[in-house]
């Protein structure tokens, strides 16, 4: 089976490709490098010990995508290409709506043209409305997104659902990721933010190596055990096995299926910082600051449906993720000083 991975040079894409190749799938990937580097493709090939065709291409290019789908006889697409910075989506909404929605429509157009009928989409827990009880199940209310990025995921889910209603032989799995963290255990691939990171883990990692002066902890007065925000942090390699499970699942299903990819357990900001300090053997400079507007106190997944129907569950711990992130961050640091 041959799988086309869009956004294949990105953080999650590179780990998904490694897992698919390890499981014996053929992979073809594309990326426009708007938030990644050519080097990530080289690193992914190194970690996999395998080659795969890669195209520098914008997924908004319908003809370009159709050419790939036909040339490689693609059976299934994993659509990860997209812009993902929440804060940037507030200041550049049109860029986010345009890129994330047009790329999805272009991809579906090319898939229709080439009769490719299986799709896996990288959605997010941000599609859930902020007024739900925890844990969030796939049945929890969606909408009321707090930023344009979240709305693009919400709208893409709707577009794929409508497309699937119109094409009975088309099947799609919408994967709602919680908080992906960590890196490949080799330390060869990981998250490589181009700007100052928004997310907690890359911020901790860059503070640890002195790239950033200090971590700001957004609030310690939440109604949580230590007062800091609680999230469901999932190791990116577990996320990758979740995608492989979704590929198998698509063989037996039609229509739209939705799955949370999380661990089902929450960890606080302070717990993650402490785990990282232990893994790295150093102290992270940090200060408590005001809450970040729009943040929830607690957010974690119900993983029952994924366990039951995908036969998948996350195995790695936040300690594993911290050790792997630290290895990756040190490797990156070493490489950058050799350039
Ligand atoms: P990433 O930025 O590392 O990877 C996305 C890749 O898509 C980048 O390499 C970028 O260059 C590419 N890209 C963007 N627009 C493109 C286009 N029009 N054509 C071709 N390539 C394009 O991000 P990631 O963390 O690997 O996320 C992958 C997907 O998962 C994204 O859609 C993101 O929204 C979603 N997601 C990520 C998280 C997270 O916390 N990392 C959480 C939930 C959902
Ligand atoms: N957070 C923080 N400092 C940072 C970044 C994040 O204290 O520099 C907190 C944030 O308030 C939340 C948690 O870390 O409680 C996870 O934030 P992230 O942005 O990584 O994920 P999201 O909020 O999108 O779930």
């Amino acid at each position: 089976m041959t799988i086309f991975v869009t956004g294949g040079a990105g953080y999650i894409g590179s780990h998904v490709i490694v897992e698919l190749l390890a499981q014996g799938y053929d992979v073809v990937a594309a990326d426009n490098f708007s938030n990644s580097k050519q080097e990530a493709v080289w690193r992914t090939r190194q970690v996999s010990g395998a080659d795969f065709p890669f195209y520098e291409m914008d997924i908004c290019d319908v003809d370009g995508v159709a050419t790939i789908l036909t040339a490689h006889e693609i059976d299934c697409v994993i659509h990860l290409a997209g812009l993902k910075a929440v804060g940037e989506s507030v200041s550049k909404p049109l860029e986010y709506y345009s890129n994330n929605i047009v790329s999805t429509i272009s991809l579906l157009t090319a898939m229709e043209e080439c009769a490719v009928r299986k799709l896996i989409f990288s959605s997010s827990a941000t599609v859930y409305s902020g007024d739900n009880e925890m844990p969030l199940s796939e049945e929890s209310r969606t909408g009321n997104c707090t930023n344009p990025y979240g709305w693009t995921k919400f709208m893409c889910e709707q577009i794929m659902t409508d497309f699937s209603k119109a094409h009975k032989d088309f099947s799609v799995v919408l994967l709602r990721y919680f908080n992906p963290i960590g890196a490949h255990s080799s330390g060869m691939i990981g998250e490589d933010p181009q700007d100052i990171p928004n997310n907690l883990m890359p911020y901790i990692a860059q503070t640890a190596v002195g790239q950033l002066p200090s971590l700001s902890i957004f609030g310690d007065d939440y109604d949580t055990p230590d007062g800091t925000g609680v999230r469901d942090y999932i190791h990116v390699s577990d996320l990758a096995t979740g995608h492989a499970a979704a590929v198998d699942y698509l063989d037996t299903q039609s229509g739209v299926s939705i799955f949370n990819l999380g661990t089902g357990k929450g960890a606080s900001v302070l717990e993650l910082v402490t785990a990282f300090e232990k893994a790295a053997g150093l102290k992270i400079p940090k200060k408590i600051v005001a809450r970040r507007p729009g943040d929830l106190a607690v957010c974690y997944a119900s993983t029952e449906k994924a366990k039951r129907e995908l036969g998948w569950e996350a195995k790695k711990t936040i300690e594993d993720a911290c050790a792997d992130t630290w290895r990756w961050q040190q490797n990156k640091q070493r490489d950058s000083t050799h350039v």
Side-chain angles (χ1 to χ4, degrees), residues 40-192:
V41 181
W42 175 82
R43 285 173 173 271
T44 304
R45 288 183 172 132
Q46 288 286 112
V47 172
S48 304
D51 205 357
F52 55 90
F54 180 89
Y55 293 85
E56 181 170 353
M57 183 179 288
D58 197 308
I59 305 304
C60 300
D61 173 0
V62 179
D63 293 341
V65 172
T67 304
I68 295 177
L69 297 181
T70 308
H72 295 279
E73 299 180 24
I74 299 296
D75 301 291
C76 175
V77 179
I78 300 184
H79 181 35
L80 302 160
L83 299 175
K84 65 161 184 178
V86 169
E88 189 183 57
S89 79
V90 176
S91 56
K92 299 178 180 169
L94 295 184
E95 223 172 274
Y96 273 68
Y97 284 115
S98 167
N99 187 69
N100 291 4
I101 292 175
V102 174
S103 63
T104 296
I105 294 174
S106 303
L107 177 64
L108 289 171
T109 307
M111 288 176 72
E112 183 177 20
E113 205 176 299
C114 303
V116 178
R117 300 190 177 92
K118 292 178 191 165
L119 177 63
I120 294 167
F121 178 58
S122 57
S123 192
S124 163
T126 60
V127 301
Y128 289 116
S129 172
D131 55 3
N132 284 295
E133 297 285 306
M134 294 296 146
L136 293 167
S137 83
E138 291 79 355
E139 305 299 316
S140 296
R141 278 179 304 284
T142 57
N144 294 323
C145 302
T146 50
N147 54 73
Y149 165 71
W151 280 118
T152 68
K153 293 294 176 192
F154 179 88
M155 290 174 191
C156 286
E157 285 198 359
Q158 187 63 46
I159 291 166
M160 290 173 185
T161 303
D162 291 339
F163 185 81
S164 153
K165 281 184 193 148
H167 297 80
K168 296 293 176 217
D169 53 355
F170 174 79
S171 2
V172 58
V173 172
L174 307 174
L175 296 177
R176 293 181 178 155
Y177 311 157
F178 279 66
N179 291 61
I181 59 168
H184 191 265
S185 56
S186 62
M188 283 284 291
I189 53 172
E191 192 167 11
D192 193 8

Side-chain angles (χ1 to χ4, degrees), residues 179 198-200 203 215-218 229 231 233 269 292 295:
N179 291 61
N198 288 300
N199 294 117
L200 180 59
Y203 209 105
L215 169 72
S216 296
I217 296 178
F218 299 142
R231 295 290 182 275
Y233 296 100
V269 175
R292 185 171 63 178
D295 269 357

